[in-house]
Amino acid sequence: MILARGVTMLLVWAILVMGLARAYAGEKAALTAGCAAGLVAGTIFGFFLFAAVPGEIPFFIIKSALAAAFISLFIVAAIVWYRGTAAEGDRPSVRHAVVAITVFLFAAGYGLLLVCRLPYGTDNSQFMALLLILLAMLGLWMIVYRLEPLLPNIGMAKGGTSLFAVSLLLFIASLSPRLDLFSPLSMKVMKLIHDFVHQFFESMLIPDHPFFRTDIWNYIGLLFSNGVGFWGGLAIWFIPTTGVTLATFREPLPSVAHVRQAAVRRKLIAAQLRERRRRLFFPLFAGLVMAAAAFNSSHPSVEYWDPKPLAVKADSAGEIVLPVKDGDVDLKDGKLHKYLYQKGAQKVRFFALYRSGELTVVLDACSICQPDGYGQNEGTVICYYCKTLIPLETVGKPGGCNPIPVPFAVDGSGVHLSAEMLVNTWVAQVQSEKKLPGGGK
Amino acid sequence: MPVESGTCIIETAGLTKRYGDICALAPLDLQVSEGEWLTVMGHSGSGKSTLLNLLGGLDRPTAGRLLVGGEDLLAFSEDHLARFRREAVGIIFQQHHLIPYLTALENVMMAQYFHSVPDQAEARQALERVGLGKRLANRPGELSGGEQQRVCIARAIINSPKLLLGDELTGNLDHKSTRLVMELLKELHEEEHFTLVLVTHNQEVAGWGGRTLFMDDGKLVKDLRHERKGDDPS
């Protein structure tokens, strides 16, 4: 696993550096030095970060850095858009130091993600990873200097290259649910729209307006559908890529009016158009990578433990009793155990989980998202709707995207819950049920 | 015969083309100066068109050396040769080879497209220059033979080639149309200063040039320099 992931990432890295060296042939030395130093620095920093800081904090730090990089793309897009209309003389030339620093930051980010992708804490994993990186460094120099001249000419465009570099980091991050940015972005968009519509209607007292007929409410209801977060998030996700691509498209061509012979003039224009098309390579490729990152985020490859809910019934006293151990079922096995209680048309899903030495019972839903439920994986449960990872230790605590806790009692006969309380809590706290999973995965 | 550098656009040494046992072009040594008007005459099968195809990069020789504009055509890859044909050579054929479903203007623009980028205004200007300003929107089938040949000339010169090749370009035309086409070529030759190599059976057409090569059975039999009778060859 460590070899497969590490080698794959380093191979991608080598190809990437080669492409960058081709695109910035004049800056090859600064570029390769920045790449090598950044990768080593990022990897070492990653190891220290995970060794020194426990829990989710390193992931939070890396995710924040990725978010900052993503936001910086908007600035890049704005600059490229401005430069597209600026006169040729206003354009700053590439400087060695700028290239080296930019590439260093990118490479450090790549190194950090490389550490995140490697299984941490297993025997010799750190040593193996460092060995791989050192070997890759040697190979990198050889590859760049040997193969780079053989590559076709790639158009140099600083904006497009930055875009591509960050999109690649976002793609790698999307492979790990802890670092994925797209799902939280979709979630924030959805929340923003919900809050805005809610506040707007509240402040304008629109619900009382006599002209608001049912069909108009149906249209407004679309703003609360599942797709709003996804499509809204996707729109923001692609703004920088689209901006840079369009800016490159509308870049004015240098004037050739001074050339007297028409055929030569046309040849110059054709060369300029070719050059501009080449410069589109990086932003367009970045768009593809961003799309792949969004796809990864929406279709995570991680398999979650998500058993089919067991139907339970209340006894005559209105109590549901879950035996702690009943045949193959053992509530204390550390796995998530899902149940389904139905009263009339009202269905309530909940699960029991043994973590940190004690049992907890929670609804299979939170009070923020649509009730798509939770799955379990290595020390966390995940909300299927917003892809938020929740450490097992915090399951049973109220708030945020945590599953809603319900009161229960444990005695020798099992776990006791009030059926009425379950139904009331679900109805009162869970968002409207538009989508209920049919069963376990 | 040594040729001064910069003045010689075509230089061949032992240029040969064989098709199996048949020798289409016997070893040929030839120099053509920049801006020269050369006519190649001979019977059918004498090797005229073979020579023209080799000069235009349409075919590759079996042996020998061929320099056009100082560049060795034998060393070119297929891609490079195609680029050479697009940029350095204009060819006018007897059969016109115009695209029947495109207008005269579009046919000329097609040559621009393969060279670099199409420019409608420039293509229109080229057709006006050959006297077809009012036939821009006509398709080849709606034009006379002479007019079609003039579209071909506009198409051949639109990319400002340094070498213009004509293979029996007046073979299908009557005396009046031939004279019109030749007058046009003379005018363009004087303005654009390209090197013109025409293959023809027609003694009258040969009179418009300053030098005539006579070929027979793939061999050069006579290289004749003469006065240009451009004003009135007949």
Side-chain angles (χ1 to χ4, degrees):
Chain A
M1 175 70 83
I2 186 169
L3 272 173
R5 284 186 177 177
V7 170
T8 308
M9 279 198 67
L10 289 170
L11 270 177
V12 170
W13 178 248
I15 293 166
L16 188 74
V17 173
M18 207 158 61
L20 287 174
R22 185 64 182 142
Y24 294 86
E27 312 289 334
K28 204 155 99 174
L31 192 133
T32 35
C35 279
L39 191 62
V40 171
T43 312
I44 291 171
F45 176 70
F47 279 128
F48 276 113
L49 187 67
F50 281 102
V53 186
E56 294 291 311
I57 296 171
F59 290 105
F60 174 75
I61 293 171
I62 297 170
K63 202 169 172 177
S64 303
L66 282 170
F70 177 62
I71 291 166
S72 75
L73 289 185
F74 288 82
I75 300 167
V76 168
I79 292 170
V80 172
W81 192 267
Y82 162 74
R83 282 181 56 231
T85 54
E88 211 171 340
D90 297 343
R91 296 177 186 177
S93 60
V94 178
R95 292 185 182 85
H96 299 307
V98 175
V99 169
I101 291 167
T102 313
V103 167
F104 178 86
L105 288 174
F106 165 56
Y110 199 92
L112 268 172
L113 291 173
L114 179 65
V115 176
C116 294
R117 292 287 294 154
L118 300 176
Y120 181 68
T122 53
D123 290 341
N124 298 326
S125 64
Q126 295 188 31
F127 173 74
M128 287 283 286
L130 274 173
L131 196 67
L132 275 172
I133 288 159
L134 286 173
L135 281 173
M137 285 299 99
L138 284 172
L140 191 72
W141 283 91
M142 286 169 64
I143 290 168
V144 167
Y145 280 91
R146 291 292 172 104
L147 296 184
E148 178 269 316
L150 303 178
L151 289 177
N153 191 14
I154 303 169
M156 187 183 86
K158 282 169 276 182
T161 316
S162 318
L163 197 72
F164 173 69
V166 175
S167 67
L168 188 73
L169 295 183
L170 293 174
F171 171 74
I172 296 166
S174 76
L175 297 170
S176 165
R178 279 189 171 93
L179 296 173
D180 174 36
L181 272 190
F182 179 72
S183 293
L185 175 71
S186 306
M187 184 66 188
K188 294 282 178 207
V189 170
M190 186 190 68
K191 199 166 171 352
L192 179 79
I193 292 172
H194 286 191
D195 288 353
F196 172 76
V197 175
H198 182 76
Q199 291 298 325
F200 180 73
F201 279 30
E202 285 269 313
S203 58
M204 304 296 285
L205 293 175
I206 283 178
D208 295 333
H209 201 287
F211 295 119
F212 270 56
R213 297 175 317 184
T214 311
D215 48 352
I216 294 177
W217 279 113
N218 287 341
Y219 287 118
I220 293 168
L222 290 175
L223 293 174
F224 291 87
S225 64
N226 276 349
V228 163
F230 176 77
W231 292 108
L234 214 56
I236 294 175
W237 196 241
F238 281 111
I239 284 176
T241 326
T242 314
V244 172
T245 307
L246 288 178
T248 310
F249 259 127
R250 63 193 281 275
E251 246 176 48
L253 297 177
S255 169
V256 289
H258 60 283
V259 180
R260 283 188 60 211
Q261 202 182 34
V264 178
R265 207 162 50 226
R266 274 190 284 112
K267 210 172 154 187
L268 279 174
I269 293 171
Q272 287 164 357
L273 287 171
R274 251 196 322 273
E275 182 57 33
R276 192 164 70 178
R277 271 200 296 275
R278 271 204 286 267
R279 280 204 302 278
L280 281 170
F281 172 78
F282 275 126
L284 287 176
F285 198 42
L288 274 180
V289 175
M290 294 287 272
F295 181 83
N296 262 340
S297 168
S298 309
H299 302 82
S301 57
V302 182
E303 282 291 322
Y304 293 101
W305 168 249
D306 186 4
K308 189 174 173 124
L310 287 173
V312 288
K313 286 188 177 0
D315 59 20
S316 54
E319 198 173 64
I320 298 167
V321 181
L322 311 171
V324 174
K325 192 161 175 58
D326 180 21
D328 291 342
V329 179
D330 181 3
L331 293 189
K332 291 191 174 178
D333 61 4
K335 289 182 181 172
L336 183 148
H337 296 267
K338 285 196 175 181
Y339 297 95
L340 175 69
Y341 172 68
Q342 184 160 8
K343 187 181 181 187
Q346 182 64 55
K347 290 177 179 174
V348 178
R349 278 177 294 119
F350 62 100
F351 66 84
L353 180 70
Y354 187 76
R355 82 284 177 271
S356 308
E358 58 180 36
L359 202 64
T360 187
V361 181
V362 290
L363 294 185
D364 193 20
C366 70
S367 51
I368 302 172
C369 305
Q370 299 285 343
D372 284 4
Y374 292 82
Q376 184 186 8
N377 183 259
E378 288 177 18
T380 56
V381 292
I382 186 171
C383 168
Y384 284 136
Y385 185 73
C386 70
K387 310 290 186 302
T388 301
L389 286 168
I390 295 149
L392 293 184
E393 300 81 53
T394 65
V395 175
K397 292 177 182 168
C401 196
N402 278 18
I404 299 163
V406 288
F408 65 96
V410 186
D411 62 14
S413 60
V415 179
H416 297 256
L417 298 129
S418 159
E420 190 183 354
M421 174 276 303
L422 271 178
V423 173
N424 289 344
T425 313
W426 185 280
V427 171
Q429 295 198 38
V430 178
Q431 298 267 339
S432 63
E433 289 183 59
K434 287 192 174 166
K435 186 180 161 194
L436 267 177
K441 290 186 176 175
Chain B
M1 183 175 71
V3 177
E4 281 178 39
S5 172
T7 60
C8 185
I9 189 163
I10 297 170
E11 187 177 357
T12 73
L15 190 69
T16 312
K17 181 66 186 178
R18 301 184 71 88
Y19 295 104
D21 293 337
I22 300 162
C23 181
L25 186 67
L28 173 73
D29 297 336
L30 176 71
Q31 286 86 31
V32 181
S33 302
E34 236 174 289
E36 198 170 351
W37 182 324
L38 178 75
T39 312
V40 185
M41 291 194 72
H43 303 295
S44 296
S46 61
K48 311 184 296 293
S49 295
T50 302
L51 173 63
L52 204 74
N53 289 345
L54 294 177
L55 296 181
L58 295 171
D59 204 354
R60 285 185 184 272
T62 313
R65 197 164 77 116
L66 171 58
L67 300 180
V68 177
E71 293 187 286
D72 185 2
L73 260 56
L74 275 70
F76 283 2
S77 64
E78 282 303 320
D79 281 351
H80 197 165
L81 201 60
R83 196 160 65 237
F84 165 80
R85 285 194 297 265
R86 284 198 301 262
E87 294 175 3
V89 185
I91 306 178
I92 308 163
F93 299 97
Q94 180 180 1
Q95 304 298 340
H96 312 313
H97 296 305
L98 293 169
I99 299 171
Y101 49 83
L102 297 183
T103 63
L105 185 69
E106 288 163 347
N107 265 288
V108 176
M109 286 170 71
M110 185 64 90
Q112 291 177 315
Y113 172 79
F114 285 113
H115 171 267
S116 49
V117 286
D119 181 335
Q120 199 181 59
E122 189 197 330
R124 180 183 289 120
Q125 212 174 2
L127 282 167
E128 281 165 0
R129 210 167 154 195
V130 297
L132 292 174
K134 290 182 179 168
R135 311 303 300 271
L136 303 175
N138 288 97
R139 292 190 171 80
E142 298 161 351
L143 301 173
S144 70
E147 285 172 331
Q148 286 188 47
Q149 201 57 289
R150 280 189 276 160
V151 176
C152 292
I153 292 171
R155 182 180 63 179
I157 61 160
I158 191 72
N159 294 323
S160 303
K162 52 188 175 189
L163 181 61
L164 191 67
L165 307 175
D167 192 358
E168 298 285 7
L169 79 167
T170 57
N172 285 347
L173 305 182
D174 58 19
H175 177 76
K176 191 181 166 195
S177 297
T178 298
R179 190 182 169 91
L180 279 172
V181 166
M182 295 314 292
E183 276 173 356
L184 175 64
L185 270 182
K186 178 177 177 284
E187 189 186 317
L188 291 171
H189 182 247
E190 281 167 4
E191 287 171 12
E192 302 276 333
H193 308 295
F194 46 72
T195 305
L196 184 57
V197 180
L198 295 184
V199 162
T200 183
H201 283 109
N202 190 334
Q203 191 70 47
E204 178 193 330
V205 169
W208 289 78
R211 180 181 172 193
T212 305
L213 301 183
F214 293 91
M215 297 190 71
D216 188 26
D217 204 16
K219 295 178 191 128
L220 177 63
V221 291
K222 200 195 294 181
D223 184 350
L224 185 68
R225 291 176 189 275
H226 48 81
E227 287 295 311
R228 284 181 64 176
K229 296 185 282 182
D231 289 339
D232 186 7
S234 58

